[in-house]
Amino acid sequence: MGIRKFKLAAVQIGGIQRATPKEETVQRLCKLLNESADNGATLAVFPELSLTSFFPRWLIEDQEEIDSFFEKGDISKGVVKPLFDAAKERGCGFVLGYAELTDDGHRFNTCVLVDNQGQVVQKYRKAHLPGYVEPTEGIKWQQLEKKYFEYGDLGFPAFRPNKEWIDGIMGMLICNDRRWPEAWRVYALQGMEICFNGYNTTADGTALFNKVENKEVRMYHSDLSTKSNAYCNSCFAVSVAKCGVEDDQELIAGSLIVDPNGLVIAQAKTEGDEILYADIDLDETISGKQKMFDFSRHRRPELYGRLVSQKGAIPIE
Ligand code: CDV
């Protein structure tokens, strides 16, 4: 058995403005990774769309500008290379969210897990895209993820990185995915022991619901999704925000690290760059997986057919 205990850093970052050059942002992320490593972390988790402002809030018509938000081809080369170099140099891997443009022209809201050797171990593409394809009239901020991205096509692939670094079963989700228990359960059915989720969640909700939602309620929903799914799947969960004011729009903070009981180990206190640390022992997932949530003894898949045969609710008469 390899390394089951390690120090994790959840790296919350404050807003990234539209005008900020990516090189500058990558330097900021490198500094935060170095600080995480200085404090003994061997894995740093960054949020969704960590390289740019949350551009789906705007209807952008200029294709060149749209393209400027995306990373084309191999993420380990080009503008993000210094972060890969830092990971290798410091022996501290990372999870990073970014907008991906594939060589054959597909666009996804993506994240990668990079190990302590600076190698990409796994890629995940956001499955549950919120928002709309078309802009909504009369509102200041849009939610156009369905316009700029395709639905993730990789499913929910659990993975094991190299054992000499961390010997565990991992999964990744992106922002809205955390609200969908099905995604967590598909991972948990592959034995997932820790789940990483980066988010960019707006503090009011106008773009989705055409009404202002209470910020505290939105924070509560974000926490609840992470805690309840960690408990019901007996895994650690790490949810990390890009937060604060970004181009005039407020994003919630509240990044947190949760244990397999759904209890909070660490939670952010600020609405800007802030690193949370936790000593993770993956063996803490075993008890829940062997008792309350021993799937092989207690699940009743023969009764769950609707979960995969039906999409929307069909209310009974
Ligand atoms: N970036 C996101 O996926 N945001 C959604 C909002 C739009 C509901 C979220 O789940 O936080």
Side-chain angles (χ1 to χ4, degrees):
M1 193 165 264
I3 292 177
R4 300 277 293 162
K5 294 183 185 175
F6 63 100
K7 185 172 264 192
L8 178 136
V11 187
Q12 173 174 289
I13 54 178
I16 300 171
Q17 311 313 313
R18 191 171 184 166
T20 307
K22 265 188 211 158
E23 290 75 8
E24 202 178 287
T25 301
V26 171
Q27 283 315 312
R28 180 174 165 194
L29 301 184
C30 285
K31 192 164 161 277
L32 291 163
L33 184 131
N34 277 314
E35 188 180 328
S36 304
D38 288 345
N39 286 298
T42 55
L43 175 60
V45 183
F46 294 105
E48 175 188 35
L49 297 177
S50 284
L51 302 173
T52 62
S53 189
F54 186 77
F55 61 92
R57 69 167 65 87
W58 300 296
L59 174 63
I60 306 169
E61 322 256 28
D62 176 4
Q63 191 59 45
E64 211 174 306
E65 184 174 13
I66 296 172
D67 289 352
S68 74
F69 291 105
F70 283 79
E71 304 315 304
K72 190 150 192 237
D74 184 348
I75 182 75
S76 71
K77 307 215 164 83
V79 74
V80 195
K81 188 173 180 298
L83 195 62
F84 281 77
D85 294 343
K88 189 169 178 196
E89 198 177 306
R90 301 303 312 272
C92 180
F94 62 86
V95 175
L96 182 82
Y98 64 100
E100 176 191 13
L101 173 55
T102 68
D103 289 336
D104 55 354
H106 295 281
R107 291 165 194 268
F108 299 100
N109 188 340
T110 295
C111 62
V112 283
L113 183 135
V114 174
D115 70 10
N116 58 339
Q117 307 296 315
Q119 297 297 318
V120 174
V121 175
Q122 187 69 42
K123 179 179 278 187
Y124 170 73
R125 291 171 174 155
K126 186 173 183 175
H128 299 93
L129 293 177
Y132 302 93
V133 178
E134 297 299 333
T136 309
E137 268 186 44
I139 59 170
K140 185 172 179 196
W141 304 116
Q142 304 291 332
Q143 218 302 350
L144 293 171
E145 282 192 64
K146 281 180 159 66
K147 171 181 173 62
Y148 294 118
F149 301 117
E150 295 169 49
Y151 290 107
D153 59 351
L154 300 175
F156 304 103
F159 58 97
R160 287 180 184 274
N162 76 69
K163 279 192 181 159
E164 290 70 38
W165 174 46
I166 300 169
D167 184 9
I169 306 178
M170 303 179 169
M172 293 185 281
L173 295 171
I174 300 179
C175 196
N176 191 252
D177 287 323
R178 73 192 182 288
R179 305 181 197 270
W180 299 92
E182 297 91 333
W184 293 78
R185 186 49 59 87
V186 173
Y187 273 132
L189 284 165
Q190 300 164 76
M192 178 177 69
E193 296 171 311
I194 187 163
C195 185
F196 307 113
N197 172 268
Y199 60 93
N200 283 210
T201 297
T202 53
D204 71 26
T206 330
L208 275 192
F209 313 116
N210 232 336
K211 72 178 176 70
V212 175
E213 262 199 346
N214 178 298
K215 180 177 166 186
E216 280 66 44
V217 173
R218 289 177 74 73
M219 280 282 303
Y220 175 75
H221 290 162
S222 181
D223 287 5
L224 181 66
S225 312
T226 301
K227 292 180 196 172
S228 61
N229 283 296
Y231 167 62
C232 294
N233 294 291
S234 194
C235 63
F236 287 91
V238 184
S239 284
V240 186
K242 172 140 68 64
C243 59
V245 179
E246 196 175 71
D247 291 301
D248 253 10
Q249 188 185 34
E250 193 184 353
L251 303 171
I252 63 165
S255 303
L256 79 177
I257 306 172
V258 173
D259 77 8
N261 285 309
L263 296 171
V264 175
I265 304 172
Q267 183 145 30
K269 294 181 181 60
T270 70
E271 300 197 342
D273 291 6
E274 180 179 343
I275 309 178
L276 313 174
Y277 296 98
D279 290 311
I280 303 288
D281 178 356
L282 293 174
D283 285 347
E284 284 176 29
T285 63
I286 294 172
S287 164
K289 288 185 189 299
Q290 289 182 348
K291 293 182 181 141
M292 184 67 84
F293 296 107
D294 180 347
F295 294 162
S296 60
R297 280 197 298 138
H298 306 308
R299 287 185 79 250
R300 301 290 309 280
E302 66 278 18
L303 304 179
Y304 306 152
R306 275 184 198 275
L307 287 178
V308 287
S309 64
Q310 190 177 318
K311 188 173 175 191
I314 304 173
I316 57 164
E317 294 297 318

